[in-house]
Amino acid sequence: MPELPEVETVKRGLAPIMEGALLLRAELRRPDLRFPFPENFAAAVSGRRILSLSRRAKYLTIDLEGGDVIIAHLGMSGSFRIETGASPASPGAFHHPRGKDEKHDHVIFHLDAQAGPARVIYNDPRRFGFMDLASRDTIADHAFFRGLGEEPTGNALDAAYLATRFSGRAQPLKTTLLDQKTIAGLGNIYVCEALWRAGLSPTRPAGTLVDRRGRAKAALSGLVEAIRGVIADAIAAGGSSLKDHIQADGSLGYFQHAFSVYDREGEACRTPGCGGTVARISQAGRSTFHCPNCQK
């Protein structure tokens, strides 16, 4: 499933064509995706100007004039593509085949953009993605966003914040970090990478990174730096290109080639001087990749 860097990449790819454009018509080719579309969704968004695109956790949000917001989630196989002029605009090198079968084109936004007519098409073979409509004034209380933790890209994520979340918790670090109420948008791939960078075991109890006074230990500060670093690197590289994820312009991200531990079971650990071997364990039904030798 696409993680935060992938959604951020999609947002940045769509923004130049969508922001400021008039959404002439929303075309729905089926009544539902993972969930049914909101009642009168197409009519409600058609004829509205798109003010801005943003991201919260793993959700793409599209602000419309009048105060409404389209909430979109890519699910496991959802992707957007942009078509302008007579042919699709899909530059970029492809590492995995891109789904172009029109039978999976479920939503089409017909736009009057600054550069001329355009279509933004949502394609989703597995239909695990979804779209919803909410008011910007009340979106923080929406079921998708209520209770979400701090963003890993914002200044609010620091060691003191995580200390309040980790204090007294015997739950493993990996599981704690995947809790969206702790950090919003952090997923399996980048948790593995961050824990490796920080030299921390995914099975270590989260509470061991906080002292008796509830203050962050040095290792927790290091973990915050690792989280920030791995997310920043992934966004800069365009997200990972695992499975079905593609960027809005049709190209694929390349951060997967820089993975240091994820999906490298049996390979030598890349920590200088470690000499260990990457292992895979299962935690909460997900694969965890780590180096038992240098992650403590």
Side-chain angles (χ1 to χ4, degrees):
M1 183 172 292
E3 297 191 19
L4 184 154
E6 285 74 31
V7 181
E8 181 68 23
T9 298
V10 169
K11 185 207 77 173
R12 296 183 184 189
L14 291 174
I17 195 72
M18 294 190 76
E19 289 186 339
L22 181 63
L23 203 172
L24 298 171
R25 180 167 61 95
E27 178 184 348
L28 307 184
R29 294 188 168 181
R30 58 177 301 112
D32 58 8
L33 292 170
R34 182 176 177 183
F35 310 120
F37 288 102
E39 187 175 358
N40 299 320
F41 176 80
V45 303
S46 296
R48 311 275 286 279
R49 191 165 298 278
I50 298 171
L51 302 180
S52 63
L53 272 69
S54 56
R55 177 198 54 76
R56 177 66 167 124
K58 302 176 186 179
Y59 298 93
L60 173 70
T61 55
I62 305 170
D63 277 77
L64 307 175
E65 64 178 351
D68 285 335
V69 183
I70 298 173
I71 303 170
H73 194 285
L74 298 175
M76 295 182 68
S77 63
S79 63
F80 287 94
R81 74 175 185 272
I82 301 167
E83 292 186 355
T84 58
S87 59
S90 56
F94 294 84
H95 287 280
H96 301 286
R98 178 179 178 174
K100 295 183 178 180
D101 194 332
E102 291 189 1
K103 71 181 180 182
H104 301 308
D105 290 348
H106 304 310
V107 181
I108 301 177
F109 294 128
H110 298 265
L111 307 177
D112 181 8
Q114 294 180 357
R119 303 197 311 165
V120 171
I121 302 168
Y122 179 73
N123 182 287
D124 193 348
R126 301 180 189 177
R127 300 201 307 276
F128 284 171
F130 52 86
M131 293 188 187
D132 202 355
L133 191 64
S135 168
R136 171 52 67 183
D137 291 340
T138 60
I139 196 169
D141 294 322
H142 192 283
F144 296 151
F145 301 112
R146 188 170 53 245
L148 284 177
E150 298 293 347
E151 291 277 333
T153 55
N155 293 331
L157 178 66
D158 57 19
Y161 166 76
L162 283 186
T164 65
R165 302 288 179 167
F166 284 11
S167 183
R169 297 187 69 169
Q171 190 177 36
L173 267 176
K174 168 76 179 301
T175 309
T176 304
L177 290 173
L178 286 177
D179 182 353
Q180 297 300 291
K181 294 181 180 179
T182 301
I183 302 178
L186 202 58
N188 190 46
I189 294 172
Y190 300 110
V191 168
C192 289
E193 290 292 304
L195 288 173
W196 176 82
R197 288 193 184 194
L200 296 171
S201 170
T203 62
R204 178 173 174 168
T208 62
L209 300 186
V210 183
D211 67 20
R212 293 182 178 179
R213 297 181 180 180
R215 297 179 302 187
K217 294 182 179 179
L220 185 52
S221 297
L223 176 58
V224 170
E225 292 181 8
I227 291 171
R228 287 181 174 277
V230 74
I231 293 296
D233 288 349
I235 290 173
S240 71
S241 56
L242 295 179
K243 298 187 183 296
D244 300 301
H245 173 69
I246 53 176
Q247 296 184 40
D249 68 355
S251 61
L252 291 163
Y254 296 96
F255 187 65
Q256 70 171 38
H257 301 293
F259 287 163
S260 295
V261 68
Y262 184 82
D263 204 25
R264 292 186 175 276
E265 180 183 8
E267 297 184 22
C269 177
R270 293 187 171 186
T271 300
C274 172
T277 302
V278 175
R280 181 181 66 84
I281 59 175
S282 179
Q283 291 181 288
R286 299 185 181 185
S287 291
T288 296
F289 297 90
H290 71 119
C291 175
N293 193 51
C294 68
Q295 291 181 242
K296 304 299 183 182

